[in-house]
Amino acid sequence: AQSVTQLGSHVSVSEGALVLLRCNYSSSVPPYLFWYVQYPNQGLQLLLKYTSAATLVKGINGFEAEFKKSETSFHLTKPSAHMSDAAEYFCAVSRTSGTYKYIFGTGTRLKVLA
Amino acid sequence: DTGVSQNPRHKITKRGQNVTFRCDPISEHNRLYWYRQTLGQGPEFLTYFQNEAQLEKSRLLSDRFSAERPKGSFSTLEIQRTEQGDSAMYLCASSFPEQGVIGYTFGSGTRLTVV
């Protein structure tokens, strides 16, 4: 079975500050891991993905995430927050074969303070 | 626009009515997924198609729900005898066979409100 835990349903940072959104996963098999962003009343946009290649993954809009197998974590970071980063962020896990269905976390709403 | 298209964007219906949503995936994607997202939660998997074949259904998909993908192109999700608990955002996504390398492309969703 697979599951995802996102610590912190709401995170606030000042503009220009470091963004850190936490994601821990559980999987009985090597997983694929994803971060998606959702703006209000919109679908989800892929930020980045881990597919068993490099453990440090760079995505769009300056975001990156590091896969740490020993900690079963895949935390999302961005060195300097912009106002436009305010959105909801979802971490997801899937198997590496079969249906590739996602198991999503409950999401973290990021607020950026001016 | 070559993205995933979902219609309608919003649907308000009375309890007990039937509703149908449509999803047009990216044309070269043969995998299609439906997810449901309730307020304050992450999306939950409902069902998956590879071409026209429905290969997996979640136990969330009660017998009031049915999904089709005729000819492996667009897909429809029908909810019969809607209940207030069906109020949610219904998301469609599509992908290439090697989804792990690409990731899904999601549509903008259909928001259903049952009154």
Side-chain angles (χ1 to χ4, degrees):
Chain A
Q2 295 182 311
S3 66
V4 171
T5 301
Q6 290 186 241
L7 294 175
S9 58
H10 292 82
V11 170
S12 294
V13 299
S14 298
E15 192 174 18
L18 172 72
V19 175
L20 171 60
L21 305 182
R22 299 179 186 274
C23 172
N24 287 88
Y25 71 91
S26 173
S27 180
S28 56
V29 297
Y32 287 155
L33 292 158
F34 304 85
W35 276 99
Y36 279 83
V37 61
Q38 186 177 36
Y39 297 98
N41 296 314
Q42 293 189 24
L44 284 79
Q45 180 183 9
L46 180 66
L47 278 177
L48 49 79
K49 57 190 180 287
Y50 167 75
T51 56
S52 70
T55 56
L56 182 61
V57 180
K58 294 186 184 299
I60 62 171
N61 301 338
F63 285 94
E64 63 181 38
E66 186 171 9
F67 173 70
K68 292 187 176 180
K69 184 178 179 181
S70 61
E71 298 177 8
T72 62
S73 69
F74 190 58
H75 301 330
L76 182 71
T77 60
K78 182 174 181 178
S80 176
H82 295 162
M83 298 298 289
S84 61
D85 294 327
E88 187 141 27
Y89 292 79
F90 292 95
C91 182
V93 63
S94 81
R95 293 179 178 270
T96 60
S97 62
T99 63
Y100 297 115
K101 67 182 178 184
Y102 288 163
I103 306 298
F104 281 92
T106 52
T108 297
R109 185 167 297 279
L110 176 66
K111 186 174 183 180
V112 181
L113 307 172
Chain B
D1 185 6
T2 58
V4 176
S5 176
Q6 290 190 248
N7 288 289
R9 289 295 309 276
H10 303 275
K11 178 71 176 178
I12 299 175
T13 191
K14 292 184 178 179
R15 190 175 54 184
Q17 297 294 305
N18 299 344
V19 295
T20 300
F21 311 140
R22 177 177 171 127
C23 171
D24 288 273
I26 293 173
S27 58
E28 56 267 33
H29 287 182
N30 71 339
R31 291 177 176 239
L32 187 145
Y33 303 82
W34 285 98
Y35 284 78
R36 180 172 70 186
Q37 184 179 20
T38 54
L39 204 61
Q41 298 297 316
E44 296 174 292
F45 171 78
L46 291 179
T47 191
Y48 155 67
F49 290 85
Q50 182 163 317
N51 299 312
E52 67 276 10
Q54 187 175 21
L55 297 185
E56 186 168 342
K57 292 195 297 184
S58 164
R59 55 199 165 110
L60 292 175
L61 215 65
S62 75
D63 55 7
R64 296 186 298 106
F65 288 71
S66 62
E68 295 182 339
R69 192 183 182 195
K71 302 180 182 178
S73 56
F74 70 92
S75 176
T76 58
L77 178 67
E78 181 183 15
I79 309 174
Q80 296 182 328
R81 306 181 302 281
T82 53
E83 302 172 356
Q84 286 190 321
D86 297 330
S87 295
M89 174 80 89
Y90 290 84
L91 293 163
C92 177
S94 68
S95 78
F96 289 106
E98 293 305 315
Q99 175 270 342
V101 180
I102 304 289
Y104 298 169
T105 301
F106 278 90
S108 297
T110 294
R111 182 169 294 284
L112 173 65
T113 302
V114 181
V115 297

